[in-house]
Amino acid sequence: MSRPKRMTKAIIVGHKSVLKRTIDVLHDSSLFHIEDFVEDESGFKISKPFQNAEEVSKKLVKIRSISNYLGIEETRQAVQKKDVVLRELDAKLDKLDNAISEKTKTINKNETDLKDLETQKKELLPFLSINLDFDYYRGYENLKVFAGSVKGNLEESQISRVTQAYELFFDPQAKTIVLFVANKDADKVYEALQDLEFKELRVPERGGIPSELLKVAEQKEVDTSNKIESLKAEVESIKSQYTDFLLASDEVLSIENQKAELPLRIATSENAFIIEGWVPSDKYDILVNGINDATSGRAYVTSIPIEHDEGGEGHTEEHTEEHIPVEYNNSKVVAPMQAILDLYSRPKYTEIDPASILLITFPLIYGMILGDIGYAIILGAMALAIKTFVKSDAVKPLMNILIYCQISTFIFGIIYGEFLGFPLASLHTAHGVIPGLLPFWNTVTLFPGIAGEEFTFPVHRTHMVMTMIAVSVGVGLLHLNLGYILGFINISHHSLKHAVLEKGSWIVIELGALVAAIGYFGDISGLTYVGAGILVLGIVMLTMGEGIKGPIELPSLMGNALSYARIIAVGLSSIYIASTVNDIAFGMIWADHSKIGFAAVAAIIVFILGHGLNTVLSIIAPGLHSLRLQYVEFFGKFYQGGGKKFNPFGYIRKYTED
Amino acid sequence: MVDAATAAAVAPVAAPLLDAAGLKALGAAIAIAGTGIASGWAEKDIGSAAIGAMAENEALFGKGLILTVIPETIVIFGLVVALLINSA
């Protein structure tokens, strides 16, 4: 249970002549979260970017557009010296730019050619089976040529009825018609053709026989495609040749750009500058020394006390403590849980950072739901493998969380005595003995449970559902009360009275209900009244703390607690899927155990596929439900979130070094 | 004749279509089915709105997830009721 890293507000003041050096040192140290200056009536103005800003961003745009075109992805590259990258930048960039633009131009031209060829081919197709040289279609004085398509079937008689002087070519498949008639008959023939819904086709302008033209076009198409392919291959080779350069120069220029544009975020006057921001308190001295060294003491750094809000209603605080950027302050073990917090919302500066509590409660509930030695081993091994082989910063914390969860699942697997849905210990019931996988492990009855069930070790969840619902809800109540206690601590930071009324009242109400229940069921009527009295006191306190909203929310306590019944519910569904797979698979093997035949092979496939499916479900279902219980039920009791991320002025360098 | 008579004598009295156990099972089924449909119905609208919000701003995943799964409690209640019916 920790709070976010303590921050110190620092102000750096100096003459503009040392601004550049100050910015360099701030950027290199990567410790200072700069508060953007908003122009007000103080007379200070934001400044202009440094002179090189325009040039740097121009190059950066060029590099990024090239990277985008080439599809450069962030990969591991050898680290390069920053000076070398900067020195070679202009020459290399020009060369690369020329090469790329030349290649793209040629590719584009070839692609246009390809499209033209496609159109040409399309124009040729209707005339293909008529196969008449296109030169014959034009250049007549007394002849009219109809070239087009018709609908329906053309009988020659339809034309001969109009005129005897004609030459007809008809392709019944493509419904293309080419008809030569005398000019004087043209109108009449055209009318006859109209009845057939004649549509004129464009006759290609070049001469030649269609089938030959098609062959030529197809050949050209192949050539052009090959040309495009080889050009693309050349671009690929440029890409692999320049990847390291592009990544490194992007990094170098991004850094330059950040530095050059910083004056836009700070307050300046004619000759001086003021930079305001936050630095982790334990690093304050390092920052001060760094700046003093770089500017030989000509920039002045001072810390400003944070305005604490003592006992007020919290509105002054909105302008002070809550707006302090938040940096987690957790050990390496707890750090993965920050991913879960960030998914919801970063804690505020004034809040408890619940990551270290999640480290226990999230895997605990996950384990309670899944609780199976077999799945714990499979998933644990998977998470370890992914963690080892995938070097992604986003995946690592998730895999660590999964590993934590599998440790808990393994422990609950022993408590439940389950392995891939099989019971490990034998169970003696009224209907006979259910054998377990381990012959020497017998179930021991510990004490009677609810609804005639018996509480045993190992816990057979399928045989004590009602008892396990009660246990789940009990765990839920503990979890919820932990939330109330955390909320109490959060508020007592400002005002003990509010803490008692808003969060303590819930605990009083639960206590009252508990005492009343003991009195009622234990037939001690005095205790019932005492309990009722405590309950009423709790409700009064709640109303004082939260107003009318408090009592209205009372039923949510029951709803929240019952919501934890999902622990056993989701767990049972996982068991039933696993044991169904086992029943089917082993039923098939036992059907003909005399020889290894088809059924045995099929049984193995069913077993693997079934448990594979359940393994995937075993990440999703318990994970989501455990997450929901944290987010909705637990966080609802104390957590606000909405903190600003501590984002120091600097850059995480991957491809270059000084 | 004889065969038919023996068969009639041996044949058990037809069990009522719905005995107590059957009614209990039906009741449990209705509890689960009704609450299941209800949760799905409620989550449908929230879920699509949450996806829409996430498309705008991926940081809303946490909040979207929470809002989407809130009605799930309904089906948990149904499950509890079904188990109570079955074990009573």
Side-chain angles (χ1 to χ4, degrees):
Chain A
M1 201 167 67
S2 61
R3 287 184 181 276
K5 246 185 206 160
R6 297 297 94 186
M7 294 283 164
T8 300
K9 187 167 201 179
I11 284 190
I12 306 165
V13 185
H15 190 265
K16 267 187 176 169
S17 60
V18 293
L19 177 57
K20 182 133 191 14
R21 266 178 279 165
T22 313
I23 289 177
D24 281 343
V25 93
L26 282 182
H27 197 279
D28 290 343
S29 66
S30 218
L31 285 174
F32 199 58
H33 175 105
I34 293 173
E35 290 267 315
D36 288 6
F37 174 69
V38 183
E39 282 187 14
D40 50 21
E41 284 155 11
S42 61
F44 287 100
K45 295 253 179 294
I46 58 168
S47 182
K48 287 197 189 75
F50 289 141
Q51 268 181 345
N52 64 344
E54 198 177 336
E55 199 198 329
V56 165
S57 36
K58 245 187 215 163
K59 283 183 202 161
L60 203 53
V61 166
K62 203 184 242 177
I63 285 176
R64 291 202 176 144
S65 75
I66 291 176
S67 304
N68 197 18
Y69 174 75
L70 292 178
I72 302 269
E73 279 165 9
E74 295 208 356
T75 46
R76 265 167 199 243
Q77 298 285 340
V79 176
Q80 303 179 45
K81 287 272 175 228
K82 181 186 159 196
D83 312 345
V84 181
V85 175
L86 272 178
R87 208 182 316 131
E88 293 177 342
L89 189 97
D90 288 336
K92 259 194 172 171
L93 186 58
D94 276 344
K95 208 171 128 202
L96 177 62
D97 192 24
N98 285 337
I100 294 278
S101 59
E102 191 192 318
K103 293 274 182 286
T104 31
K105 230 185 256 168
T106 335
I107 289 178
N108 283 344
K109 195 189 150 288
N110 277 308
E111 276 174 349
T112 326
D113 287 354
L114 209 57
K115 266 189 204 134
D116 284 348
L117 285 170
E118 192 69 23
T119 332
Q120 275 181 31
K121 264 171 66 184
K122 256 192 204 141
E123 280 177 357
L124 285 175
L125 284 178
F127 300 101
L128 207 56
S129 59
I130 293 171
N131 222 9
L132 203 60
D133 194 323
F134 286 124
D135 278 337
Y136 295 153
Y137 281 67
R138 49 199 157 230
Y140 302 109
E141 277 179 19
N142 298 317
L143 283 182
K144 169 82 182 165
V145 184
F146 292 102
S149 64
V150 289
K151 280 206 176 139
N153 241 340
L154 176 77
E155 302 294 334
E156 221 168 320
S157 59
Q158 286 169 295
I159 309 294
S160 56
R161 235 183 290 150
V162 183
T163 174
Q164 285 301 314
Y166 71 92
E167 182 76 48
L168 174 70
F169 300 88
F170 180 60
D171 172 10
Q173 228 135 39
K175 308 262 185 227
T176 312
I177 166 176
V178 178
L179 178 62
F180 297 81
V181 293
N183 260 345
K184 62 179 169 59
D185 296 329
D187 289 345
K188 273 186 273 173
V189 171
Y190 185 63
E191 270 170 36
L193 285 176
Q194 287 269 284
D195 296 339
L196 291 162
E197 292 183 48
F198 173 76
K199 242 190 236 147
E200 205 163 343
L201 282 174
R202 210 179 82 87
V203 179
E205 272 163 29
R206 71 172 65 191
I209 293 163
S211 59
E212 278 169 19
L213 287 176
L214 187 71
K215 232 183 261 168
V216 173
E218 272 171 351
Q219 186 54 43
K220 267 190 193 163
E221 216 175 40
V222 172
D223 290 348
T224 321
S225 306
N226 286 343
K227 232 185 262 172
I228 293 175
E229 283 307 307
S230 75
L231 281 166
K232 282 194 174 155
E234 279 170 45
V235 171
E236 259 328 282
S237 85
I238 292 181
K239 174 182 168 183
S240 58
Q241 198 183 332
Y242 281 93
T243 301
D244 57 341
F245 162 74
L246 282 169
L247 288 171
S249 52
D250 187 318
E251 183 168 296
V252 170
L253 289 177
S254 297
I255 292 171
E256 285 305 313
N257 192 45
Q258 276 186 354
K259 287 182 186 170
E261 289 188 345
L262 186 74
L264 289 171
R265 300 171 57 193
I266 61 175
T268 54
S269 67
E270 194 80 10
N271 294 310
F273 68 86
I274 304 175
I275 307 176
E276 206 180 324
W278 300 93
V279 55
S281 302
D282 52 340
K283 302 278 171 57
Y284 178 70
D285 290 337
I286 301 177
L287 184 81
V288 173
N289 290 337
I291 292 174
N292 280 340
D293 286 349
T295 62
S296 14
R298 289 169 61 204
Y300 177 67
V301 189
T302 182
S303 65
I304 296 180
I306 300 166
E307 294 168 43
H308 280 282
D309 160 67
E310 298 293 345
E313 282 297 304
H315 32 249
T316 50
E317 193 188 11
E318 271 182 27
H319 303 287
T320 55
E321 282 198 291
E322 292 206 349
H323 283 224
I324 300 171
V326 172
E327 165 92 321
Y328 290 113
N329 189 16
N330 290 317
S331 65
K332 255 189 163 172
V333 181
V334 180
M337 308 315 284
Q338 289 163 195
I340 289 184
L341 275 184
D342 276 338
L343 204 58
Y344 184 86
S345 180
R346 198 169 270 244
K348 280 185 187 160
Y349 185 72
T350 46
E351 270 185 300
I352 290 172
D353 167 11
S356 45
I357 293 157
L358 282 187
L359 179 72
I360 299 165
T361 56
F362 180 75
L364 183 85
I365 291 176
Y366 182 101
M368 272 191 84
I369 293 174
L370 188 55
D372 187 298
I373 297 175
Y375 290 127
I377 294 172
I378 293 174
L379 287 171
M382 248 171 60
L384 267 178
I386 293 176
K387 195 185 148 189
T388 323
F389 292 115
V390 180
K391 297 273 178 224
S392 159
D393 293 336
V395 173
K396 249 194 182 145
L398 294 181
M399 289 305 127
N400 280 330
I401 295 171
L402 200 55
I403 290 171
Y404 294 157
C405 289
Q406 297 322 317
I407 295 170
S408 151
T409 305
F410 191 87
I411 295 170
F412 277 98
I414 295 172
I415 295 176
Y416 296 156
E418 279 170 33
F419 185 89
L420 292 181
F422 294 106
L424 282 180
S426 57
L427 175 67
H428 298 261
T429 66
H431 309 291
V433 180
I434 301 168
L437 276 190
L438 302 176
F440 52 85
W441 195 1
N442 284 314
T443 302
V444 188
T445 303
L446 297 179
F447 46 82
I450 299 173
E453 295 163 350
E454 283 173 333
F455 203 95
T456 57
F457 180 82
V459 173
H460 290 266
R461 284 189 280 179
T462 45
H463 288 87
M464 39 193 294
V465 175
M466 292 312 293
T467 313
M468 285 308 289
I469 286 185
V471 171
S472 301
V473 172
V475 169
L477 280 172
L478 288 179
H479 197 213
L480 290 175
N481 280 314
L482 182 62
Y484 284 128
I485 293 170
L486 290 177
F488 185 90
I489 297 171
N490 259 343
I491 301 180
S492 67
H493 187 56
H494 316 303
S495 144
L496 194 62
K497 186 183 139 209
H498 277 96
V500 170
L501 290 182
E502 282 174 31
K503 303 293 170 189
S505 55
W506 285 100
I507 297 173
V508 173
I509 288 169
E510 284 172 49
L511 209 66
L514 185 71
V515 170
I518 292 172
Y520 183 77
F521 288 109
D523 253 349
I524 315 166
S525 61
L527 213 53
T528 315
Y529 293 122
V530 173
I534 299 175
L535 190 73
V536 170
L537 174 73
I539 294 174
V540 170
M541 281 163 68
L542 184 66
T543 318
M544 282 165 69
E546 303 237 24
I548 192 68
K549 198 179 99 209
I552 289 174
E553 276 188 13
L554 263 182
S556 76
L557 185 63
M558 195 191 77
N560 282 343
L562 272 184
S563 183
Y564 284 82
R566 75 183 66 228
I567 293 177
I568 177 71
V570 178
L572 279 180
S573 76
S574 170
I575 295 180
Y576 282 128
I577 293 175
S579 59
T580 307
V581 169
N582 293 340
D583 284 351
I584 295 173
F586 281 82
M588 282 161 92
I589 285 187
W590 283 327
D592 64 340
H593 52 89
S594 50
K595 54 188 184 288
I596 297 178
F598 168 75
V601 176
I604 293 170
I605 294 174
V606 166
F607 190 78
I608 292 174
L609 283 184
H611 282 296
L613 170 81
N614 206 21
T615 309
V616 176
L617 286 179
S618 299
I619 306 174
I620 300 170
L624 271 184
H625 284 280
S626 180
L627 200 62
R628 176 228 148 93
L629 289 175
Q630 312 295 334
Y631 280 173
V632 181
E633 274 79 14
F634 186 49
F635 279 7
K637 303 289 167 280
F638 69 99
Y639 193 67
Q640 283 181 306
K644 205 165 37 166
K645 189 180 176 196
F646 177 74
N647 188 12
F649 181 60
Y651 198 94
I652 301 166
R653 291 164 74 165
K654 287 186 196 155
Y655 307 112
T656 57
E657 59 186 13
D658 281 327
Chain B
M1 273 303 280
V2 177
D3 279 352
T6 359
V10 168
V13 184
L17 199 57
L18 290 172
D19 58 358
L23 280 172
K24 261 165 83 174
L26 268 181
I30 291 170
I32 289 284
T35 49
I37 291 172
S39 321
W41 198 343
E43 279 177 24
K44 169 196 76 174
D45 292 333
I46 309 172
S48 51
I51 296 282
M54 262 172 67
E56 291 280 325
N57 177 5
E58 276 194 40
L60 289 172
F61 173 79
K63 296 223 165 76
L65 177 72
I66 293 161
L67 292 172
T68 309
V69 297
I70 281 177
E72 221 169 51
T73 313
I74 304 172
V75 77
I76 300 283
F77 288 161
L79 184 87
V80 171
V81 168
L83 289 172
L84 280 173
I85 292 174
N86 256 352
S87 68

